[in-house]
């Protein structure tokens, strides 16, 4: 029996900031040099982002929070424990709230139907962890199977969806709830290095949930059938996108070479997915691409020779939310389904992360 993705829900935490307001704060944070301020202006003006969300308040006008305040004084920046404690508090609430709303919004599915919970995050750790939080929030039985995928980065929604698909194919009664949540802004530690300035201009906080099962979708659901997944590596990019634990949060490397590496590998990675499923490129009506940044979107578009309008949902998510790591591609899929994917049309989804890893999936609207 096929697996169906019945519903996608999304949520953002904390405060929404206009990108122009963040730029003004960044001028206070790392400015003071005309060269840096000119570079900030160019980066933010060309970011393709209008708004981002964060659990921290340091981007408010005249803020003097623990992150910005440290940068403007002789105090050390908050350490990893401080940041992780903030993650535990804020993420625990958002995991529970999103799990409840995802089930409530999914036609034909109740909390009592959930048999498996898969949570995803690379921006914080605690135990009992997010999977436990979701089970408790939904008042699920202690026997509910639960799993957590950690520290995989922006492509991690795909391993979670693949795991959910495997559970559903093995057990026709399985109903799997996947929740991806990231609080990337907790780990911002801006410097005047150009690549640091680019990273801090892109990342944001957000969460997305998906519900999958083999049961026939409710007529009111905007459901898609899962056709399959594929993975690919571009080892030449191994050092260009990395994520490690530092003393002042998690240290992110996102080099300026990443868009070009993706452009050089995206066609082969996509061809592998289509070949495995015996689908031709022309059979794909819609594309849900992880909006890693404006340059990445442009390179994917050129690397796959896509029409500009085929990337509109991806650009919209980047513009309205920024790059939220693992949940972001689900934001794009949700946007496409809301805009209207006709019955029988196929959606190819792509995301990129450390490795340099390219993950892909194919879905068909039912």
């Amino acid at each position: 029996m096929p697996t169906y993705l019945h519903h996608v829900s999304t949520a953002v935490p904390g405060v929404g900031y206009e990108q122009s307001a963040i730029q003004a704060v960044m001028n206070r944070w790392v400015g003071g040099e005309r060269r840096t301020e000119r570079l900030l202006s160019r980066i933010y003006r060309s970011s393709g982002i209008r708004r981002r969300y964060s659990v921290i308040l340091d981007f408010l006008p005249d803020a003097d929070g623990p992150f910005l305040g440290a940068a403007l004084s002789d105090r050390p920046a908050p350490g990893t424990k401080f940041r992780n404690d903030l993650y535990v508090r804020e993420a625990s609430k958002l995991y529970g709230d999103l799990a409840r709303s995802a089930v409530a919004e999914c036609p034909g599915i109740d909390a009592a139907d959930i048999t498996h919970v898969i949570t995803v995050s690379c921006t914080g750790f605690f135990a009992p962890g997010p999977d436990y939080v979701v089970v408790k929030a939904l008042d699920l039985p202690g026997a509910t199977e639960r799993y957590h995928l950690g520290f995989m980065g922006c492509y991690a929604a795909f391993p979670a969806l693949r795991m959910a698909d495997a559970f559903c194919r093995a057990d026709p009664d399985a109903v799997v709830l996947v929740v991806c949540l990231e609080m990337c802004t907790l780990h911002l530690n801006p410097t005047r290095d150009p690549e640091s300035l680019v990273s801090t201009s892109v990342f944001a906080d957000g969460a997305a949930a998906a519900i999958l099962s083999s049961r026939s979708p409710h007529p009111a659901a905007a459901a898609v059938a899962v056709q399959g997944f594929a993975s690919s590596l571009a080892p030449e990019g191994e050092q260009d996108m990395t994520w490690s634990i530092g003393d002042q949060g998690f240290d992110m490397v996102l080099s300026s070479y990443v868009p070009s590496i993706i452009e050089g590998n995206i066609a082969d990675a996509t061809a592998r997915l289509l070949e495995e499923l015996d689908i031709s490129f022309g059979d794909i009506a819609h594309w849900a691409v992880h909006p890693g940044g404006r340059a990445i979107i442009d390179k994917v578009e050129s690397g796959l020779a896509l029409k500009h309008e085929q990337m509109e949902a991806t650009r919209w998510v980047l513009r309205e939310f920024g790059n939220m790591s693992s949940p972001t591609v689900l934001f794009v899929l949700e946007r496409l389904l809301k805009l209207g994917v006709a019955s029988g049309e196929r959606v190819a989804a792509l995301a990129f992360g450390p490795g340099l890893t390219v993950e892909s999936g194919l879905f068909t609207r039912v």
Side-chain angles (χ1 to χ4, degrees):
M1 295 179 64
T3 300
Y4 299 100
L5 195 164
H6 293 255
H7 181 73
V8 177
S9 289
T10 58
V12 286
V15 179
Y17 298 98
E18 297 296 314
Q19 186 78 326
S20 57
I22 299 177
Q23 179 190 339
V25 172
M26 288 297 296
N27 277 327
R28 297 176 60 206
W29 203 321
V30 297
E33 295 181 352
R34 291 187 62 187
R35 175 183 173 275
T36 300
E37 291 179 1
R38 286 197 302 268
L39 183 57
L40 276 170
S41 178
R42 186 168 73 249
I43 289 171
Y44 278 75
R45 190 171 59 249
S46 62
S47 67
I49 298 171
R50 185 184 72 88
R51 193 171 182 82
R52 287 186 283 162
Y53 292 80
S54 174
V55 295
I56 68 175
L57 303 179
D58 295 62
F59 298 111
L60 291 169
D62 302 320
D64 187 24
F67 298 91
L68 177 59
L72 299 177
S73 68
D74 294 329
R75 303 196 308 268
T80 302
K81 182 183 185 306
F82 178 93
R83 299 169 193 252
N84 195 69
D85 287 347
L86 185 53
Y87 170 89
V88 173
R89 186 181 76 227
E90 298 295 333
S92 294
K93 181 178 184 300
L94 188 56
Y95 269 115
D97 290 346
L98 180 56
R100 284 186 288 264
S101 64
V103 173
E105 294 166 1
C106 184
I109 300 290
D110 296 319
D113 298 318
I114 303 297
T115 59
H116 298 68
V117 169
I118 303 171
T119 53
V120 177
S121 189
C122 68
T123 47
F125 298 96
F126 61 100
D131 49 303
Y132 177 86
V133 169
V134 170
V135 167
K136 295 289 285 184
L138 294 178
D139 197 25
L140 300 180
T144 303
E145 293 190 34
R146 51 191 176 93
Y147 306 85
H148 181 71
L149 299 180
F151 227 64
M152 300 185 80
C154 296
Y155 66 83
F158 284 99
L161 294 175
R162 186 186 293 112
M163 182 186 295
D165 179 46
F167 290 148
C168 293
R169 292 180 186 276
D171 178 2
D173 295 323
V175 178
V176 186
L177 172 62
V178 174
V179 186
C180 303
L181 182 152
E182 305 291 1
M183 294 182 172
C184 305
T185 63
L186 289 175
H187 303 286
L188 298 184
N189 195 22
T191 71
R192 288 174 176 162
D193 176 76
E195 291 185 352
S196 171
L197 296 178
V198 171
S199 294
T200 54
S201 74
V202 171
F203 285 102
D205 303 346
I211 296 176
L212 299 92
S213 81
S214 294
R215 62 173 63 179
S216 295
H218 190 279
V224 291
V226 177
Q227 301 296 295
F229 302 94
S231 300
S232 181
L233 284 175
E236 67 269 28
E238 181 178 351
Q239 301 304 316
D240 291 282
M241 189 185 296
T242 64
W243 193 237
S244 58
I245 299 175
D247 292 331
Q248 295 176 339
F250 298 165
D251 297 329
M252 176 72 179
V253 173
L254 182 64
S255 87
S256 58
Y257 296 105
V258 167
S260 295
I261 295 169
I262 290 174
E263 182 183 32
N265 288 272
I266 194 64
D268 287 343
T270 305
R272 182 171 295 110
L273 171 71
L274 301 181
E275 288 168 4
E276 289 183 4
L277 299 172
D278 195 25
I279 299 293
S280 68
F281 191 88
D283 293 329
I284 308 301
H286 304 277
W287 293 82
V289 179
H290 168 68
R294 181 175 178 179
I296 288 176
I297 295 173
D298 291 343
K299 293 298 187 182
V300 170
E301 184 177 301
S302 62
L304 293 176
L306 297 175
K307 297 177 181 177
H308 187 78
E309 56 266 26
Q310 289 178 294
M311 296 289 282
E312 180 51 37
T314 290
R315 285 193 171 86
W316 183 86
V317 170
L318 180 69
R319 183 168 62 247
E320 299 302 324
F321 299 100
N323 179 351
M324 301 163 284
S325 191
S326 66
T328 319
V329 71
L330 292 176
F331 273 70
V332 181
L333 183 58
E334 179 194 43
R335 174 68 174 173
L336 279 172
L337 294 174
K338 284 183 176 179
L339 289 174
V341 177
S343 177
E345 288 187 331
R346 293 186 174 94
V347 179
L350 304 166
F352 328 99
L356 196 154
T357 302
V358 180
E359 289 279 348
S360 55
L362 186 66
F363 309 90
T364 300
R365 179 73 163 87
V366 296

